[in-house]
Amino acid sequence: MKLIEPSIGVIRPDWRKEFKRLEGAYAPATIKAYYTDLAHFENWCRAHAMQPFPAEPLTVSVYLEGMAPNRSVSTIQRRMYAISRSHRLLRLQDPTQDEDVHLAMRRIMRSKRCRPKQAKGLTQEYLEKFLEVQPDNPWGIRNRAIISLGYDILARRSELVALMTDDIEERSDGTLRLMIRRSKTDPFGMGRLAFTSKRTARLVGEWLKWRGPEIEPLFCGIYQGQAINRALGPDTIKLIIKNAASVCGLKRIEADAFSAHSLRVGAAQDLLRNGHDTAAIMRAGGWKSVDVMARYLEFAEYNVWS
């Protein structure tokens, strides 16, 4: 399907309709990001009197380099991938494969020599503080279970909110076994097993006792003191960690360094300090790449001889 641009008489493909084909093949968050990034590109083209579809390599190069002063490399790369994907869906020639676009990206990356920002690790030292400051109410019961479980299983926030009550199983030793059915690096849902400490099993048990048996998501919202049968959004995990960091007595600059990803980072760093090898850490966190995992561990201060 094509749309007519009434102001200038240009025929432009309807990329939004074509993107419906992605539904079910990609995670909703990925599709949402594509929509947002392509809308940004389309609006930029309109403001600069350039054609977005099909886009010329020069258009893409100017667009990408124009973002360099104010955007991270990862954001620029993500928007380039969105342009590439949209052209392929529309069966148009992909302008991002042109050598001029490759050179533009090399210039951007050489001009922005900075390491990816890493969330501060929520290690055992901080874990105790974050659990201690939770309030003695239903929100505190839930948040303690989330923080402790997220640390034990090295969870991404998307993995925590996707857990269902049926995904956990009590073990005879007082711990829990969980099936993480889908993650960022497991788009087809092969799943991975994860195990918890006894403390986490106790905290999750306290939450389930208060929450009741009729709720499908493991962690749900609370409205007017009642559990509601609706999973939390990923941003709620971030808020829980940020709020805990802000009230446990840390300096602001230190508290601001925490994010939802801090659970995963801190647990991986603790595993390294405690003498676990690379294979064990990769298995625990579900990493497929040693290079990616290594970024999580580079700030771990440990002494293997102690």
Side-chain angles (χ1 to χ4, degrees):
M1 179 178 179
K2 294 183 177 180
L3 299 178
I4 301 295
E5 183 70 65
S7 59
I8 58 177
V10 175
I11 298 176
R12 60 181 176 86
D14 186 356
W15 63 265
R16 289 177 176 81
K17 181 177 180 181
E18 294 299 322
F19 261 60
K20 296 289 185 182
R21 290 158 53 196
L22 295 181
E23 294 179 2
Y26 290 86
T30 300
I31 297 174
K32 181 180 178 181
Y34 276 143
Y35 273 98
T36 301
D37 290 337
L38 278 176
H40 184 274
F41 176 62
E42 188 177 46
N43 291 336
W44 181 90
C45 286
R46 186 177 294 116
H48 291 79
M50 293 183 177
Q51 181 175 293
F53 302 105
E56 295 293 330
L58 178 61
T59 299
V60 177
S61 298
V62 173
Y63 169 69
L64 297 177
E65 292 196 82
M67 288 187 286
N70 302 311
R71 295 290 185 269
S72 67
V73 171
S74 61
T75 296
I76 296 171
Q77 287 177 325
R78 193 190 67 226
R79 288 178 175 170
M80 184 184 71
Y81 295 151
I83 294 168
S84 174
R85 172 62 66 184
S86 64
H87 278 73
R88 282 182 281 160
L89 282 172
L90 294 166
R91 297 181 174 85
L92 300 172
Q93 184 172 346
D94 183 358
T96 69
Q97 296 302 307
D98 190 270
E99 184 62 23
D100 283 345
V101 177
H102 291 169
L103 291 173
M105 278 305 306
R106 287 186 65 88
R107 284 192 290 268
I108 291 169
M109 295 177 73
R110 286 177 63 84
S111 69
K112 299 176 76 68
R113 295 181 180 179
C114 59
R115 299 181 62 79
K117 186 177 180 181
Q118 177 68 274
K120 185 174 179 61
L122 203 164
T123 54
Q124 188 71 39
E125 169 193 0
Y126 294 105
L127 177 65
E128 303 300 330
K129 296 177 180 178
F130 281 35
L131 294 175
E132 185 178 345
V133 298
Q134 296 304 315
D136 292 325
N137 58 28
W139 288 270
I141 295 172
R142 182 196 65 190
N143 294 352
R144 277 190 289 269
I146 287 174
I147 294 170
S148 189
L149 179 64
Y151 172 87
D152 277 6
I153 66 174
L154 291 80
R156 302 176 178 90
R157 60 181 179 174
S158 59
E159 294 169 351
L160 279 173
V161 299
L163 286 170
M164 296 288 119
T165 305
D166 291 343
D167 292 333
I168 65 172
E169 176 185 339
E170 295 184 27
R171 305 175 74 210
S172 59
D173 62 357
T175 64
L176 298 175
R177 182 174 71 174
L178 293 88
M179 172 60 75
I180 301 174
R181 299 189 180 278
R182 193 177 297 277
S183 70
K184 179 180 178 181
T185 57
D186 182 22
F188 302 112
M190 298 299 291
R192 68 178 174 92
L193 290 174
F195 301 87
T196 75
S197 63
K198 291 181 179 179
R199 176 171 68 181
T200 291
R202 175 177 57 80
L203 293 174
V204 171
E206 291 173 0
W207 160 244
L208 293 177
K209 181 179 179 180
W210 180 89
R211 190 208 67 181
E214 303 302 322
I215 305 293
E216 294 176 345
L218 178 58
F219 297 115
C220 64
I222 301 171
Y223 182 69
Q224 294 184 346
Q226 300 293 321
I228 56 176
N229 194 12
R230 186 172 66 213
L232 298 175
D235 285 345
T236 302
I237 307 300
K238 178 181 177 180
L239 289 174
I240 289 170
I241 300 301
K242 286 286 191 182
N243 288 340
S246 68
V247 300
C248 72
L250 301 178
K251 293 182 179 179
R252 181 170 180 177
I253 190 171
E254 185 177 14
D256 287 347
F258 286 96
S259 74
H261 219 58
S262 294
L263 291 166
R264 186 167 168 83
V265 175
Q269 292 174 349
D270 279 345
L271 287 173
L272 181 64
R273 291 190 187 100
N274 292 332
H276 294 276
D277 61 21
T278 299
I281 299 172
M282 290 185 69
R283 184 168 60 250
W287 280 288
K288 308 298 183 184
S289 166
V290 174
D291 292 339
V292 172
M293 183 203 67
R295 291 213 314 268
Y296 286 70
L297 303 178
E298 62 184 352
F299 294 114
E301 297 176 1
Y302 70 102
N303 185 348
V304 296
W305 306 112
S306 61

